[in-house]
Amino acid sequence: MRNILTILLVLAFSGKTIAADEITIFVKENSYFIDSSKESLSAVELEEKLKHLQFSSVTLDIDYCAIETLAYAYVAISNAKPSVTDIKLKASGNHEESKCNDV
């Protein structure tokens, strides 16, 4: 009986998708990067990429110069995964290191 329960539990959990429960989006002045990807994304590309990922939590790592692109990141998350409610903010850079182009 115990073996049958063990097998059923293994089968039940083996069908789960292995995916990152949390992703990090690096918000730069004019682009976005997801986790450790080197692929630079526009706001539209970010939204499309998010539609294909499985996640329930997001950390937005925001560059000092990324005021406008931050708003588009929120819109992309909202449109791609409206069920995501756990969004954390993390600041990167500072005004001395920064050479903002759009400010």
Side-chain angles (χ1 to χ4, degrees), residues 45-56:
E45 293 168 330
L46 174 66
E47 185 175 327
E48 281 303 310
K49 191 75 111 170
L50 292 176
K51 287 179 182 177
H52 300 288
L53 296 175
Q54 296 297 321
F55 59 93
S56 60

Side-chain angles (χ1 to χ4, degrees), residues 81-96:
K81 299 286 183 187
S83 62
V84 171
T85 57
D86 186 16
I87 300 176
K88 300 173 193 125
L89 302 178
K90 178 181 172 189
S92 297
N94 61 48
H95 69 282
E96 281 112 21

Side-chain angles (χ1 to χ4, degrees), residues 16-87:
K16 300 270 183 193
T17 304
I18 299 175
D21 189 39
E22 180 175 344
I23 64 169
T24 300
I25 300 173
F26 295 91
V27 182
K28 302 298 181 188
E29 185 176 12
N30 297 312
S31 61
Y32 307 90
F33 299 91
I34 298 175
D35 289 331
S36 60
S37 173
K38 300 291 183 202
E39 181 183 6
S40 176
L41 303 169
S42 69
V44 172
E45 293 168 330
L46 174 66
E47 185 175 327
E48 281 303 310
K49 191 75 111 170
L50 292 176
K51 287 179 182 177
H52 300 288
L53 296 175
Q54 296 297 321
F55 59 93
S56 60
S57 177
V58 177
T59 297
L60 294 174
D61 190 322
I62 307 156
D63 186 59
Y64 180 77
C65 298
I67 302 301
E68 187 175 323
T69 52
L70 175 59
Y72 291 122
Y74 271 103
V75 170
I77 294 166
S78 176
N79 288 341
K81 299 286 183 187
S83 62
V84 171
T85 57
D86 186 16
I87 300 176

